[in-house]
Amino acid sequence: MNEGIEKDFTFMDFNQAFAFLTRIAMLSEKMNHHAEWSGVYNKVHIRLSTHDAGGVTENDTSMAASIETFI
Amino acid sequence: MNEGIEKDFTFMDFNQAFAFLTRIAMLSEKMNHHAEWSGVYNKVHIRLSTHDAGGVTENDTSMAASIETFI
């Protein structure tokens, strides 16, 4: 298991949670850097790491900062 | 851990995987029944169970059948 940046997010409902996930998805395509995610209903868990580098890179910290602005 | 229906799906890329996830999200809102999901890049894992019933119900099998049509 590589080092990574992880965070849990809780929203009012599924609609809000999926809107958040969609914003991350758009960002992922744009950056060509894809988060690991999991969730159920109003909860979303995000994990960022760079597989090829075996840990956390600038791509991960940059994406983490962007994701924080989506809340 | 409740009994549930689980399946792994692999797509050509993230774009395809997220399109699949979005179709499940729309269905979830319509049915008011929400799958557990996880994934990274082109992989999506789906788990269906009915928390209140402590296992698999008609809602889960119905949703599973619909999800299969999304592939």
Side-chain angles (χ1 to χ4, degrees):
Chain A
M1 175 71 83
N2 292 338
E3 186 189 353
I5 304 171
E6 299 193 47
K7 191 165 179 178
D8 289 303
F9 301 88
T10 302
F11 298 89
M12 281 183 57
D13 55 24
F14 176 72
N15 189 302
Q16 296 274 326
F18 196 73
F20 174 69
L21 202 62
T22 302
R23 295 194 71 182
I24 295 173
M26 302 295 105
L27 178 67
S28 295
E29 281 291 82
K30 196 170 178 181
M31 290 182 66
N32 195 28
H33 187 60
H34 299 86
E36 289 175 53
W37 53 30
S38 60
V40 61
Y41 192 54
N42 67 331
K43 295 187 189 303
V44 177
H45 179 83
I46 297 294
R47 185 174 195 279
L48 299 165
S49 72
T50 301
H51 187 263
D52 292 347
V56 174
T57 66
E58 168 64 21
N59 276 341
D60 301 304
T61 53
S62 169
M63 183 172 274
S66 294
I67 287 172
E68 291 291 343
T69 71
F70 294 163
I71 305 170
Chain B
M1 175 71 80
N2 292 338
E3 187 189 351
I5 303 170
E6 300 193 47
K7 191 165 178 177
D8 288 304
F9 301 88
T10 302
F11 297 89
M12 282 184 54
D13 55 23
F14 176 72
N15 188 302
Q16 297 273 327
F18 195 73
F20 174 69
L21 202 62
T22 302
R23 295 193 72 182
I24 296 174
M26 302 297 105
L27 178 66
S28 295
E29 280 292 82
K30 197 170 177 182
M31 290 183 65
N32 194 30
H33 186 59
H34 298 86
E36 290 174 50
W37 53 30
S38 60
V40 62
Y41 191 54
N42 67 332
K43 295 186 188 304
V44 177
H45 179 83
I46 297 294
R47 185 175 195 279
L48 299 166
S49 72
T50 301
H51 188 263
D52 292 346
V56 173
T57 66
E58 167 63 22
N59 276 340
D60 301 303
T61 53
S62 169
M63 184 174 274
S66 295
I67 287 172
E68 293 289 344
T69 71
F70 295 163
I71 305 171

